[in-house]
Amino acid sequence: MRRHLVVKSGSQSQKGPCKILGGGWTFRQTGCLSTIFNELWSLDVNRMTPGIDYTISFQGRASFVSQGIHTVLDHASQPLFSNVNESKLRNITTFSSFVTLLDNYERSTGVTEQVTTEELTEMDLFLDAVLETKVMKVCVTTSSVEQKVYICEILQHYNLICISLVRSMCVSVLKLIITSLDSSGFEHVFVGETKSGTEIIGFHNWVQFYLQEKNQHLDYKGYKAREHDLPDQDDHVLNLQFSWHGVVKPVGSAFIGTSPEFEMAVFLMNMEGSTTVVVNIDQCQMELVVIRHGRSLGTAYPKLLSSNSRHVRQHAH
């Protein structure tokens, strides 16, 4: 059976098949989102390959911890990342330009960001690199007018709309996309912050995790999963527990190995409203959470539900 969705054009509404490309459509069905995200997945040529470009060591299952606790039982004596292909981090433009942004932020909320001319140039170089990828170009042509209207009203040129969207997600403190005067959605999601010295908020990016772990600012405490759903080396989403500068995050989650452009595209395409949607990407079923504050991104992250196509096998039974 072919899936259908509502196609909106002006005041007209009609039904049409779920397709990868078709600007101006509203993708409300999980099946359609999964189809689009898997197309982005197949186009993500900059994604790193597990076991080749990086190796992770899950070790033990982390225990329950309440928010605000500073001391927890460590179920992982070794780092999560045994190795990462740093040559790719340096030589793939979207990765290298992404890494240059990571030290541009104040870790603590409540501290006003001082953005320099050099940092603004770094932002522009990153955005230019991301917008040149096939992943983001499909994001641009697939996103509906209705999705874009929430951020920048109805515009005629997809590229301009997408640039505006991505810039609002990124570090432009002129377009505040979270409630406080010192934070942005990009910083929250991709870099991480601490609040009142007792809570880690955001921090959902694997590259930042690896670099902070390598520099001994972060301590991986173990994975989080249901009793009979152990993580696998090939999983590209992981739920985990860690401490950062002595502050504990009881449960965090992140894509693993994916490119910055893939993560940004997936979050952008789900910004039609504050939503939690279950999608299937590659062999993983995940909950994709995107929360907006007004027209700006508040937070966005994946939460692994099952991997290695367990959800498919369970449904078959």
Side-chain angles (χ1 to χ4, degrees):
M1 177 182 295
R2 301 186 73 184
R3 296 181 182 272
H4 286 74
L5 70 163
V6 175
V7 180
K8 294 191 175 181
S9 177
S11 60
Q12 301 295 317
S13 294
Q14 63 187 71
K15 286 190 176 181
C18 176
K19 296 181 179 179
I20 298 301
L21 300 179
W25 292 5
T26 303
F27 303 102
R28 294 198 178 276
Q29 293 186 351
T30 299
C32 286
L33 281 172
S34 295
T35 301
I36 297 161
F37 291 162
N38 277 286
E39 173 70 3
L40 297 179
W41 180 265
S42 69
L43 293 172
D44 189 16
V45 296
N46 290 334
R47 182 176 67 248
M48 296 202 185
T49 304
I52 297 176
D53 295 318
Y54 67 90
T55 305
I56 52 180
S57 175
F58 297 111
Q59 300 165 79
R61 186 194 307 271
S63 53
F64 172 80
V65 177
S66 299
Q67 188 67 259
I69 299 298
H70 290 275
T71 303
V72 299
L73 187 62
D74 194 341
H75 294 271
S77 60
Q78 301 298 317
L80 172 64
F81 286 93
S82 303
N83 70 279
V84 171
N85 186 338
E86 293 201 3
S87 176
K88 285 195 171 182
L89 288 182
R90 291 191 300 270
N91 296 318
I92 295 176
T93 307
T94 53
F95 275 117
S96 61
S97 57
F98 171 78
V99 170
T100 63
L101 299 180
L102 298 178
D103 64 354
N104 290 353
Y105 306 95
E106 297 289 343
R107 185 172 71 252
S108 300
T109 59
V111 179
T112 303
E113 309 284 358
Q114 301 296 325
V115 182
T116 66
T117 302
E118 180 182 2
E119 289 171 349
L120 289 172
T121 300
E122 290 173 351
M123 297 175 204
D124 287 339
L125 290 173
F126 171 64
L127 293 173
D128 289 343
V130 164
L131 289 165
E132 284 300 310
T133 64
K134 289 184 179 180
V135 168
M136 192 55 73
K137 287 178 180 178
V138 168
C139 168
V140 170
T141 55
T142 307
S143 297
S144 69
V145 172
E146 184 176 348
Q147 287 170 311
K148 292 162 182 168
V149 120
Y150 282 99
I151 306 299
C152 47
E153 303 302 329
I154 299 176
L155 299 175
Q156 296 299 315
H157 303 290
Y158 278 127
N159 283 335
L160 293 177
I161 295 170
C162 199
I163 289 171
S164 178
L165 280 166
V166 177
R167 285 185 185 279
S168 72
M169 283 186 66
C170 290
V171 277
S172 173
V173 294
L174 300 176
K175 291 186 177 180
L176 301 169
I177 56 179
I178 203 168
T179 53
S180 63
L181 292 176
D182 58 276
S183 302
S184 73
F186 180 87
E187 177 185 5
H188 178 92
V189 174
F190 292 92
V191 184
E193 303 169 286
T194 57
K195 184 178 180 180
S196 304
T198 62
E199 180 182 356
I200 298 172
I201 55 177
F203 204 132
H204 299 289
N205 180 258
W206 75 274
V207 175
Q208 170 73 336
F209 191 103
Y210 164 67
L211 293 174
Q212 291 296 302
E213 186 176 58
K214 176 186 175 182
N215 292 321
Q216 300 183 340
H217 299 314
L218 184 151
D219 186 11
Y220 170 63
K221 301 296 185 182
Y223 67 87
K224 298 290 289 185
R226 291 175 293 189
E227 192 65 33
H228 301 294
D229 197 14
L230 301 179
D232 185 270
Q233 291 287 336
D234 292 335
D235 289 353
H236 280 283
V237 180
L238 180 64
N239 304 331
L240 71 172
Q241 184 180 103
F242 62 95
S243 65
W244 185 38
H245 291 280
V247 181
V248 174
K249 188 167 182 80
V251 183
S253 59
F255 285 107
I256 305 292
T258 48
S259 69
E261 61 265 28
F262 174 82
E263 295 182 35
M264 293 183 75
V266 166
F267 296 148
L268 277 170
M269 295 191 70
N270 208 38
M271 271 189 70
E272 195 163 333
S274 294
T275 61
T276 298
V277 61
V278 175
V279 296
N280 302 323
I281 302 178
D282 193 42
Q283 298 182 43
C284 293
Q285 184 175 78
M286 68 194 73
E287 206 172 63
L288 189 63
V289 179
V290 176
I291 297 175
R292 284 177 28 196
H293 294 295
R295 290 184 173 180
S296 301
L297 179 69
T299 190
Y301 56 89
K303 179 181 177 183
L304 183 65
L305 299 179
S306 71
S307 59
N308 293 313
S309 300
R310 291 187 188 93
H311 55 286
V312 177
R313 296 195 297 273
Q314 290 169 358
H315 181 73
H317 289 93

